[in-house]
Amino acid sequence: MSKRTMILGMQLGNGYGSQPMAWKAPGVDATNYANFDAHVRYAQAAERGKFAFLFLPDFAGMSKAPEQEAPMLTLDPLITLAAIARGTERIGLVATGSTTFNEPYNTARQFKTLDVMSHGRAGWNAVTTSDPLVAANYGQEIAARPERYERAHETIQIAQALWGSWEKDAWIKDQRTGQFADPDKIQPINLQGRHVASRGPLPIPPSEQGQPVVFQAGGGDYGLGLAGRYANAVIGATFTIEDAKAQRNAVRKAAVDAGRDPDEIKYFAGVMPAIAGSKREALDRRVALGREVFPARVPYLGAMLGLSLDVSQLNQP
């Protein structure tokens, strides 16, 4: 997945944040939630359609309405992409991974393995976690935003250092001499931060693209700071062309502020298409989907806005 050739991405999910899709929507087979063959078929269709990458969000907790929708988007995004990697050849494979509740060594190892397995097609959407329900699953509480992003900076730095702990030509694999690797070109990183640390190195050689591509959402000052310093790509939630341009300019400025070439970050404006044989049918399908999922999205919207919202308020200003 070349950083220069990514053109169009496809999110396997419903587009309403990291939340599952209502299975009562027309044409949705509820059994596909646990059907990895179905996910591979979706990916193969996207690859035939010339999509550059798939994007799997993650939400490490149960949905609040399991009687109406699947508990998660996928059982596990990285394992799902590992299955997809074996059934595809070209399409990029991007998954969300929390910097809040994962150790950088585990994250680096998992994404680098996916990158090697897929012949250099992996990407990591590095995000902080702000949902108390997710924190409870890890026996923790949500830290203040500055602390979460401080940990995120440390986690990404350590992960990238671990990915680079093998030099490009460290893997000798010479059957004639019996030398597998050059130990002088595989080095520990010995990084210690306030929140996380790792000695390294990873036991994984470089992939065909070197190391995974880093994605980020880039929202708000904290997110822009993270994207400007580390991201290769940003996926934005936009509603107008003007909004998309403003977000793209903000990401480019963040890169300049971090001392980087702004062209190193590719910006993708997220869209949520409804697909059908005609415009009328597409609109009807969107309304039918909304009728099922909008009520379940009210708590998520409230969490994002920091407001106490209830489904009874849907028709109020």
Side-chain angles (χ1 to χ4, degrees), residues 21-30 68 285 288-290 292-293:
M21 176 182 285
W23 66 267
K24 287 176 63 180
V28 174
D29 183 350
Q68 293 181 329
R285 189 172 187 184
L289 176 62
E292 299 293 339
V293 301

Side-chain angles (χ1 to χ4, degrees), residues 5-11 42-43 45-54 90-92 273 275:
T5 59
M6 293 185 300
I7 298 170
L8 192 59
M10 174 181 176
Q11 174 173 312
Y42 302 152
E47 186 170 71
R48 290 194 303 270
K50 309 302 182 185
F51 281 87
F53 64 90
L54 299 174
R90 299 177 304 279
I91 196 163
I275 301 171

Side-chain angles (χ1 to χ4, degrees), residues 42-307:
Y42 302 152
Q44 291 170 338
E47 186 170 71
R48 290 194 303 270
K50 309 302 182 185
F51 281 87
F53 64 90
L54 299 174
F55 171 69
L56 291 185
D58 191 23
F59 181 78
M62 283 276 290
S63 70
K64 295 181 179 179
E67 73 278 5
Q68 293 181 329
E69 58 186 31
M72 286 274 293
L73 282 164
T74 60
L75 302 185
D76 181 275
L78 275 169
I79 292 178
T80 301
L81 289 181
I84 288 172
R86 307 307 295 163
T88 55
E89 297 178 356
R90 299 177 304 279
I91 196 163
L93 309 168
V94 184
T96 293
S98 173
T99 61
T100 306
F101 297 117
N102 291 310
E103 291 298 315
Y105 186 87
N106 290 341
T107 296
R109 185 182 186 189
Q110 291 169 339
F111 278 94
K112 188 67 172 291
T113 299
L114 178 64
D115 206 33
V116 171
M117 175 191 296
S118 64
H119 300 285
R121 293 187 281 144
W124 172 30
N125 180 41
V127 303
T128 65
T129 300
S130 60
D131 195 308
L133 293 177
V134 174
N137 287 338
Y138 292 90
Q140 300 182 37
E141 296 182 353
I142 293 296
R145 179 172 291 184
E147 183 176 337
R148 295 202 312 273
Y149 276 88
E150 188 177 76
R151 180 187 169 103
H153 279 270
E154 292 180 5
T155 297
I156 297 172
Q157 288 179 41
I158 291 175
Q160 289 185 319
L162 287 167
W163 290 340
S165 58
W166 287 54
E167 294 183 24
K168 185 177 181 180
D169 56 350
W171 195 11
I172 305 298
K173 52 184 184 293
D174 188 329
Q175 191 172 27
R176 181 182 58 83
T177 64
Q179 185 175 9
F180 184 80
D182 184 345
D184 293 332
K185 295 182 178 181
I186 305 173
Q187 299 294 332
I189 63 169
N190 293 319
L191 287 180
Q192 175 69 57
R194 180 179 170 218
H195 304 279
V196 290
S198 180
R199 178 186 181 275
L202 278 181
I204 306 171
S207 70
E208 293 174 27
Q209 71 167 347
Q211 56 181 252
V213 173
V214 175
F215 280 68
Q216 226 283 318
D221 291 341
Y222 287 100
L224 282 172
L226 208 64
R229 187 167 296 276
Y230 309 108
N232 306 114
V234 168
I235 300 177
T238 64
F239 297 93
T240 65
I241 292 176
E242 291 72 21
D243 187 31
K245 288 179 177 178
Q247 289 190 29
R248 177 180 179 272
N249 289 336
V251 168
R252 290 176 63 83
K253 181 180 182 301
V256 172
D257 291 344
R260 296 175 62 200
D261 180 349
D263 288 336
E264 292 180 4
I265 305 181
K266 308 305 178 187
Y267 179 80
F268 299 90
V271 296
M272 294 180 288
I275 301 171
S278 68
K279 185 175 181 180
R280 180 68 265 166
E281 290 171 336
L283 289 171
D284 289 344
R285 189 172 187 184
R286 170 63 72 180
V287 170
L289 176 62
R291 186 177 298 119
E292 299 293 339
V293 301
F294 284 173
R297 297 296 155 259
V298 173
Y300 176 76
L301 176 63
M304 292 299 98
L305 297 177
L307 300 173

